[in-house]
Amino acid sequence: MKAAVRAQGLSRDARLRHSNDIQSVFQHGRREERRAFVLLWRPGSGETRAAFAASRQIRGAVSRNRAKRRLREAYRRLETRPGKLDLVFVARASTLVVETGEIAREITQALAAVTRP
């Protein structure tokens, strides 16, 4: 039986879960490009929510899932997150070869650039 509460994952409120919300970010959001990922973002209404995707240029479902897991884990470990944004992280092929610490630094830099006035 599955546990009712996920102790280590992102909370339900911290995730973009509906496809129309994610499509809205893809269609109307702004971009911040990094070596390991592309960050698409737009202002949201409440708590910061995030979604994770992988480009089909990453061949094979196993590799795409691994790339998304690496991004999700680096994001989850952030100590502070910006407020009131909808974020979509799209993994690039280099996500699989870049060290996890470097992914975390790139996420921090991208979020700092997004929240800059």
Side-chain angles (χ1 to χ4, degrees), residues 12-30 40-53 85-90:
R12 179 166 257 200
D13 294 336
R15 290 180 281 160
L16 269 176
R17 297 179 303 136
H18 302 289
S19 63
N20 59 346
D21 292 337
I22 295 169
Q23 283 301 317
S24 175
V25 175
F26 270 100
Q27 292 172 358
H28 305 291
R30 299 177 65 188
L40 302 166
W41 64 278
R42 69 178 293 189
S45 58
E47 181 180 340
T48 294
R49 301 180 300 169
F52 301 87
L85 293 175
D86 288 343
L87 309 168
V88 176
F89 292 89
V90 182

Side-chain angles (χ1 to χ4, degrees), residues 9-11 14 47-50 72-85 87 111 115:
L10 291 174
S11 71
E47 181 180 340
T48 294
R49 301 180 300 169
R72 193 167 33 246
E73 180 62 17
Y75 177 77
R76 186 187 69 79
R77 289 185 179 195
L78 290 178
E79 292 181 15
T80 60
R81 295 189 183 113
K84 298 184 180 182
L85 293 175
L87 309 168
L111 292 175
T115 57

Side-chain angles (χ1 to χ4, degrees), residues 58-77:
I58 301 175
R59 305 310 285 167
V62 171
S63 296
R64 282 193 299 276
N65 288 335
R66 182 177 296 126
K68 288 185 285 188
R69 276 195 311 270
R70 294 189 80 202
L71 281 175
R72 193 167 33 246
E73 180 62 17
Y75 177 77
R76 186 187 69 79
R77 289 185 179 195

Side-chain angles (χ1 to χ4, degrees), residues 87-107:
L87 309 168
V88 176
F89 292 89
V90 182
R92 289 183 162 169
S94 62
T95 304
L96 296 170
V97 294
V98 173
E99 291 185 21
T100 307
E102 180 62 27
I103 294 172
R105 279 189 293 281
E106 286 186 4
I107 288 176

